Amino acid sequence: MSPPDASPTLAALYQSLILEHYRRPRNQGVLDDADVSVTMKNPLCGDELVLQLAFDDAGGVRAARFRGQGCSISLATASMMTEYITGKSRDEIDSAARRFAQMLAGDAEVAADPALGDLRALSGVAKVPARIRCAQLPWEALERAFAGRG
């Protein structure tokens, strides 16, 4: 997936980054000291995801892990998201979640925001409506994890 109106070089870089996170996911596995665990499924395409988080004393994410199976978009998103949120405050994570949703809605300005890091590689998903749900699944699990924390 490449961002809207991306140069061929940037599109290839983004494709490569998505495949890298899919083939060699970061933070994949079990989090033994998890404070919360959330299971999500996308029955439309078969994606399944378990997200586990451990919180720091201020309510930010100290550690994040995921397990699951699914398409390259859902698993790459989970990898990028867990990498991004680790060590971040709740406010930083909430802001990133809003910006990510805007990017999936096709906001080109957000897609160019370097603050989103590797997550920007998923901006091209906005052009493929059937895959948007795949990219949203890890973020929905994150939202439920925070809601379940109380």
Side-chain angles (χ1 to χ4, degrees):
M1 300 281 140
S2 60
D5 303 320
S7 71
T9 304
L10 185 59
L13 175 65
Y14 279 179
Q15 282 284 9
S16 177
L17 189 56
I18 290 169
L19 289 175
E20 169 66 19
H21 275 273
Y22 173 65
R23 291 180 181 142
R24 292 175 196 80
R26 283 56 154 186
N27 301 309
Q28 187 176 39
V30 175
L31 185 59
D32 291 329
D33 63 343
D35 293 312
V36 65
S37 182
V38 173
T39 301
M40 297 287 296
K41 294 180 182 181
N42 180 358
L44 298 176
C45 68
D47 294 337
E48 296 181 15
L49 179 76
V50 177
L51 177 67
Q52 296 179 297
L53 301 177
F55 299 104
D56 61 26
D57 292 338
V61 173
R62 180 178 51 78
R65 299 283 184 280
F66 77 95
R67 300 182 314 278
Q69 59 186 21
C71 70
S72 60
I73 298 299
S74 67
L75 296 180
T77 302
S79 175
M80 291 178 194
M81 182 194 77
T82 56
E83 193 172 54
Y84 183 89
I85 66 172
T86 300
K88 297 260 191 315
S89 71
R90 175 71 189 266
D91 287 344
E92 290 170 312
I93 293 167
D94 287 346
S95 175
R98 281 190 302 277
R99 307 249 329 136
F100 188 79
Q102 291 169 327
M103 183 180 75
L104 289 183
D107 187 322
E109 182 181 324
V110 173
D113 182 359
L116 287 177
D118 285 357
L119 291 164
R120 293 182 308 153
L122 295 157
S123 61
V125 173
K127 291 197 255 184
V128 188
R131 302 308 295 271
I132 291 173
R133 178 78 177 104
C134 301
Q136 289 172 330
L137 191 69
W139 290 92
E140 290 174 8
L142 179 65
E143 185 178 317
R144 285 190 185 182
F146 275 118
R149 183 157 192 261

